[in-house]
Structures are given as C-alpha cells and as structure tokens.
Amino acid sequence: MECRVPLILRFLTTVALASLFFLPRPSGAEEMVVLATSSSCPVTEISSLDVRKAYLGVSLRLEGHSIRPLRLGNDEQLNQIFFQSVVAMSRKSYERRVLSLALKFGTPRPVEYDSLGEAIGALQRIQCSVVYAWKKDLENVEGIRVIRVLWQR
C-alpha cells in the first residue's frame, strides 16, 4: 500500500497540471478579428451576410452609404480566418469568384493593402470603407471604430 499512495498522488498531480492547459484563457488574452471603419462613417452595425456580400463584390448600401471593403494581404493567419470565417470559401474559390464578378459585371475587387497603416489611411480617406484586422492592432488607433467581431478564440 505504501507504493500506491505516491503513485496516486503523482497521477492526481499530473491530471491537475494537465487540466490547466484546457482551462479557458483570461478575456484579456483573447484573439479577435474585427471589422472596423472610420469614426466618421454613420454605419453602426453590419450583419455577417452583408460583410460576406461586400467582400464578394456585391454592391452594398447600408443606412444610405455604400460600403467599400478593404483587405490586408500581409498576415497569413488573418487571411486564413478571413477565407474560413468571413467568406466561407477557399482562397482559390474566392479569387475565382471575385475575378468572375469583375469580368462579367465590372464590379471592383476589394483593394488589398500590404500594411495596416496603409489600410487605416484608406479607411480615413474612403467614405464608409471597412477592413478586417486583429482587434489588438486597432485598440490604440484614433478615428477607427469596430462595428463587428468576425472571429474570436
């Protein structure tokens, strides 16, 4: 019996330590992808279907304003989330769809930026444009307002 007590204690200690990995993270450590616009845009909310439509090239008007989608091309993880959670298609299918709409109907493709700074500048220049980005990257940016959470872990 003397050997079993240390063995049971080791087992319980191992289970307790392993369970720490499965506990939810504190809210401050959450990763979020959000949709943002300039503070001057009067649009206050947008549905996930409308976000998808905008990024697929469908002309979208909300509250009397035309929504213009912008993309960030420099972050591979962010783009994977965009393709899976926002437009719900593979990169290849998305590119085909957007190109097809541009060729058939002349709908402009979403403008793609290589840096968040360029995209923020465009948000402030282009009336009611929207961009998806990591929430942590937008927290201290003045003149930008989050209008929807697109994904969170």
Side-chain angles (χ1 to χ4, degrees):
M1 279 302 232
E2 291 178 38
C3 290
R4 286 188 163 209
V5 172
L7 183 61
I8 291 172
L9 283 174
R10 272 193 255 160
F11 174 74
L12 292 175
T13 304
T14 304
V15 169
L17 289 173
S19 67
L20 290 175
F21 292 107
F22 298 106
L23 289 175
R25 293 182 184 184
S27 61
E30 270 185 339
E31 290 181 292
M32 282 188 190
V33 175
V34 296
L35 189 71
T37 188
S38 71
S39 299
S40 63
C41 180
V43 175
T44 56
E45 56 185 60
I46 186 171
S47 71
S48 57
L49 181 60
D50 285 339
V51 173
R52 186 170 192 263
K53 285 179 184 179
Y55 277 101
L56 287 174
V58 176
S59 180
L60 182 63
R61 290 188 66 80
L62 293 175
E63 300 176 22
H65 299 278
S66 184
I67 303 300
R68 299 174 192 226
L70 309 176
R71 291 194 50 214
L72 284 171
N74 63 341
D75 187 331
E76 190 56 38
Q77 184 181 10
L78 184 63
N79 280 312
Q80 283 181 336
I81 292 167
F82 169 76
F83 291 121
Q84 290 174 0
S85 300
V86 178
V87 293
M89 54 180 52
S90 69
R91 178 187 302 260
K92 190 174 182 180
S93 295
Y94 173 77
E95 293 297 334
R96 279 186 190 157
R97 170 74 182 213
V98 171
L99 181 60
S100 172
L101 287 172
L103 293 173
K104 286 180 183 175
F105 306 110
T107 57
R109 298 171 55 117
V111 180
E112 189 169 320
Y113 294 93
D114 290 329
S115 74
L116 183 60
E118 291 175 347
I120 288 171
L123 278 180
Q124 294 170 337
R125 280 191 322 275
I126 304 169
Q127 177 68 23
C128 285
S129 55
V130 293
V131 69
Y132 60 91
W134 296 108
K135 183 181 180 189
K136 64 181 179 184
D137 293 340
L138 298 175
E139 286 177 340
N140 298 320
V141 179
E142 290 186 32
I144 301 299
R145 181 170 38 91
V146 171
I147 56 174
R148 182 165 189 84
V149 174
L150 299 174
W151 176 88
Q152 70 182 36
R153 176 172 41 181

